[in-house]
């Protein structure tokens, strides 16, 4: 279980995806992108735009049930990517590295890039933008919603 949480906003995610794309340009051109679903899909779309890449494949690996880690299960393979040559794999976060290792085995010639990396998964990725402590649960914009919070003065029963 995570001991702390970090919230990533849409703006931050977009900036980080563009920064990753900027680094990837020197490693390309790429034939295509493999997005690890579901977290890698939005970063992959941003990066595909920045790299002018039209071929986007997906790989679906299920490892989490809420915040609990389970055994990895491939539910969709990235058929169009072959052995990964000329492709870049995109994910939002490499955590324990379980998903990343499995996808790397499927696509050994691909470049692996993600926005955020925890120490346990860091050695598996080729590129990342921000390192996150291992005990931090990253809350992505698609996992959260804006919520109205009353002003402090209205909670304190202040005077009229």
């Amino acid at each position: 279980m995570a001991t702390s949480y970090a919230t990533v906003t849409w703006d931050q995610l977009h900036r980080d995806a563009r920064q990753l794309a900027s680094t990837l340009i020197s490693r390309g051109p790429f034939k295509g992108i493999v997005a690890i679903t579901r977290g890698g899909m939005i970063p992959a779309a941003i990066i595909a735009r920045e790299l002018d890449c039209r071929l986007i494949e997906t790989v679906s690996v299920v490892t989490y049930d809420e915040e609990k880690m389970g055994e990895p299960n491939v539910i969709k393979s990235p058929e169009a990517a072959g052995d990964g040559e000329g492709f870049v794999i995109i994910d939002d976060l490499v955590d324990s590295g379980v998903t990343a290792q499995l996808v790397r085995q499927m696509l050994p010639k691909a470049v692996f890039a993600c926005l955020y990396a925890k120490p346990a998964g860091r050695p598996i990725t080729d590129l990342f933008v921000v390192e996150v402590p291992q005990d931090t649960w990253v809350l992505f914009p698609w996992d959260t919603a804006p919520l109205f919070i009353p002003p402090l003065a209205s909670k304190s029963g202040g005077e009229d």
Side-chain angles (χ1 to χ4, degrees):
M1 188 85 172
T3 59
S4 64
Y5 293 86
T7 302
V8 176
T9 65
W10 285 111
D11 287 345
Q12 185 64 50
L13 182 104
H14 196 265
R15 277 191 302 269
D16 291 341
R18 290 193 76 222
Q19 183 176 337
L20 185 57
S22 175
T23 305
L24 284 166
I25 285 174
S26 66
R27 297 222 181 180
F30 294 101
K31 288 192 262 183
I33 291 174
V34 176
I36 298 179
T37 68
R38 294 172 306 206
M41 293 176 73
I42 292 170
I46 296 166
I47 291 166
R49 178 190 181 273
E50 297 302 329
L51 300 181
D52 194 25
C53 185
R54 300 285 179 166
L55 176 57
I56 302 176
E57 173 64 285
T58 59
V59 58
S60 299
V61 181
V62 178
T63 54
Y64 281 96
D65 179 15
E66 298 300 316
E67 292 185 21
K68 185 181 167 197
M69 184 74 136
E71 289 296 315
N73 181 25
V74 177
I75 58 175
K76 188 211 171 272
S77 295
E79 302 300 329
D83 63 3
E85 187 168 356
F87 279 78
V88 60
I89 302 162
I90 300 293
D91 205 357
D92 55 353
L93 170 74
V94 61
D95 189 331
S96 66
V98 171
T99 299
Q101 285 177 327
L102 185 61
V103 173
R104 272 226 185 259
Q105 289 170 1
M106 297 167 70
L107 305 167
K109 294 185 178 179
V111 173
F112 193 106
C114 58
L115 300 182
Y116 312 106
K118 292 187 179 181
R122 224 183 125 181
I124 300 154
T125 186
D126 296 311
L127 300 167
F128 66 94
V129 178
V130 177
E131 186 167 350
V132 180
Q134 197 67 43
D135 63 351
T136 299
W137 189 265
V138 180
L139 297 171
F140 289 96
W142 48 85
D143 295 326
T144 60
L147 178 66
F148 174 78
I149 304 293
L152 293 173
S154 67
K155 292 182 183 178
S156 66
E159 297 179 30
D160 292 349

